[in-house]
Amino acid sequence: MRLGIVVAALLAASGAARAQPCDRQAFEPCQACHALTRDAGQKPGPQLAGVIGRPVAGDPAFDYSPALQAARDNGDVWTAERLDIFLADAEAMYPGQWMGSPPIRSAKLRADLLCVLGGR
Ligand code: HEC
């Protein structure tokens, strides 16, 4: 019991002292479908390693929807701004896309996600 309290206090202290500005927890729901490494493994979505600055539909190992393939053919690149709009409402941006994840209305959450995706 007492040990648990000490461990909790230590965890809280180390968390506060960490110089990591990104809230990595924001990415947890995405992890079911996306990896942040070049190898996506068996995930149902494309890997997102270095996605900011990458062409839309840029994981060569992933079979994208016609909507995202058309965006890539159009020369679209994932800037932070484009990604912010996509996360806020993917369907409005690229109608017919296949990402089965609800729009993220919270600007704070989207900023945290961009932080994680930017690798910062
Ligand atoms: C249920 C599975 C699922 C979840 C959860 C999910 N995604 Fe996706 N995501 C996909 C799929 C599938 C695609 C490809 C869509 C297409 O081809 O139209 C995609 C595409 C993307 C792309 C474009 C990738 C590229 O290479 O162009 C980004 C960025 C992205 N998702 C970010 C996120 C983030 C951030 C989250 C968490 C908030 C998230 N996704 C949650 C399945 C998911």
Side-chain angles (χ1 to χ4, degrees):
M1 190 65 169
R2 217 183 262 159
L3 183 64
I5 292 168
V6 171
V7 168
L10 283 174
L11 283 176
S14 68
R18 235 180 14 212
Q20 171 59 268
C22 288
D23 179 1
R24 305 199 72 84
Q25 277 198 341
F27 194 71
E28 242 165 55
C30 323
Q31 252 163 1
C33 297
H34 294 290
L36 286 175
T37 53
R38 300 232 171 262
D39 178 11
Q42 294 301 308
K43 304 256 185 188
Q47 52 84 358
L48 297 178
V51 69
I52 295 178
R54 198 170 89 173
V56 171
D59 175 1
F62 190 78
D63 192 15
Y64 289 92
S65 64
L68 285 207
Q69 288 181 37
R72 177 186 54 207
D73 294 347
N74 195 36
D76 287 5
V77 168
W78 286 123
T79 59
E81 292 72 25
R82 188 185 300 279
L83 207 42
D84 186 57
I85 298 169
F86 179 77
L87 294 174
D89 196 343
E91 188 57 25
M93 184 178 210
Y94 293 129
Q97 54 76 39
W98 291 344
M99 181 156 119
S101 176
I104 298 167
R105 310 229 180 268
S106 159
K108 158 89 170 72
L109 183 51
R110 293 199 309 273
D112 286 339
L113 286 167
L114 287 179
C115 183
V116 175
L117 290 171
R120 270 164 283 144

